[in-house]
Amino acid sequence: MSMWGQMSLMDPASPIQSEMILFHDHAMILLIGVFTLVSLVGMSILQSSFTCRTIHEAQTLETVWTVVPALLLIWLALPSLRLLYSLDEHSQAVNTLKSIGHQWYWSYEDSMIGGVTFDSYMIQEKDLEAGMFRLLEVDARPMIPLNLSTNVMTTSADVIHAWALPSMGVKMDSVPGRLNSMSMKPSIPGVYYGQCSEICGANHSFMPIAVEVVCLESF
């Protein structure tokens, strides 16, 4: 993969992640525009030798450089608030996936398969087969249904972890004694990978997350 490919966001597999990528592009338009304008103005000031010691105020200029940034902030804030409210929405989920963080593996409980509880450990490098991803493959993947809302709840049995699945636009802390939840609705079948996103100890890098999205009939 090229350097530019590594700098981009992961391909979206849910409506929420698609909205996040759109907001990222929206914000980058504003940032690049502001950076370009400030650079041009700065270069013109450096190259100009005009000075004036008699002007003490410029009401029109002060009004413009107050109103324009305020409008730009509103342009950035409105879609940001819309996305934040979308992330907090919990629609009528047909499935509930419970995730419990341990040092250093994950435990899952899925309501659609009778509340079966199982542990998910990273597959060691010496046991990997052809086509498997190093530090990302696990011996047991939770399955979630395609095109149906799944409510993911997470907590921790010891220290603070973080359950993150970038392609689904999900990232939430797993805190001991607290239950956090987010909703996701996968739109593309496949296997999606994530990792613990909170520094949780010596083997923090060795507790990956792998979720398999399958058609409802496959359950």
Side-chain angles (χ1 to χ4, degrees):
M1 183 183 292
S2 65
M3 182 188 71
W4 296 110
Q6 295 179 20
M7 293 176 65
S8 62
L9 298 174
M10 297 183 70
D11 293 336
S14 69
I16 284 294
Q17 179 63 10
S18 298
E19 292 287 335
M20 288 183 180
I21 291 177
L22 287 175
F23 176 70
H24 170 268
D25 297 341
H26 178 85
M28 287 302 295
I29 291 173
L30 175 62
L31 293 176
I32 292 173
V34 170
F35 178 79
T36 303
L37 177 62
V38 171
S39 299
L40 292 175
V41 171
M43 291 298 295
S44 65
I45 292 175
L46 289 174
Q47 294 176 356
S48 175
S49 59
F50 297 108
T51 60
C52 181
R53 294 172 139 191
T54 59
I55 296 179
H56 299 289
E57 61 178 354
Q59 295 294 338
T60 303
L61 179 60
E62 290 181 5
T63 301
V64 170
W65 73 31
T66 300
V67 173
V68 171
L71 294 176
L72 293 178
L73 288 176
I74 293 173
W75 186 48
L76 187 64
L78 291 179
S80 175
L81 291 174
R82 175 178 172 273
L83 182 58
L84 284 173
Y85 277 104
S86 298
L87 288 170
D88 282 339
E89 283 184 0
H90 285 71
S91 57
Q92 299 236 337
V94 299
N95 183 32
T96 299
L97 177 67
K98 185 177 180 181
S99 169
I100 303 173
H102 303 268
Q103 287 183 313
W104 289 269
Y105 65 96
W106 296 96
S107 296
Y108 295 99
E109 181 179 336
D110 198 328
S111 65
M112 286 196 75
I113 54 176
V116 176
T117 302
F118 59 93
D119 298 331
S120 180
Y121 291 90
M122 185 190 77
I123 298 178
Q124 299 299 317
E125 187 172 357
K126 59 184 176 59
D127 298 323
L128 291 175
E129 298 177 0
M132 286 186 171
F133 296 102
R134 177 178 173 269
L135 299 181
L136 289 176
E137 297 290 350
V138 296
D139 58 359
R141 303 173 185 150
M143 293 192 300
I144 58 176
L146 178 68
N147 292 325
L148 293 175
S149 294
T150 296
N151 188 25
V152 182
M153 299 187 299
T154 185
T155 186
S156 173
D158 35 54
V159 299
I160 298 178
H161 301 278
W163 201 85
L165 209 59
S167 293
M168 296 290 174
V170 175
K171 181 182 182 296
M172 52 185 167
D173 287 340
S174 304
V175 182
R178 178 174 177 176
L179 201 61
N180 292 328
S181 65
M182 288 186 72
S183 180
M184 62 182 181
K185 186 178 181 181
S187 55
I188 302 174
V191 179
Y192 299 96
Y193 299 95
Q195 288 180 308
C196 176
S197 299
E198 194 75 49
I199 298 177
C200 57
N203 290 334
H204 157 69
S205 301
F206 305 100
M207 52 180 302
I209 300 162
V211 174
E212 187 173 357
V213 178
V214 298
C215 297
L216 187 59
E217 294 78 10
S218 300
F219 272 84

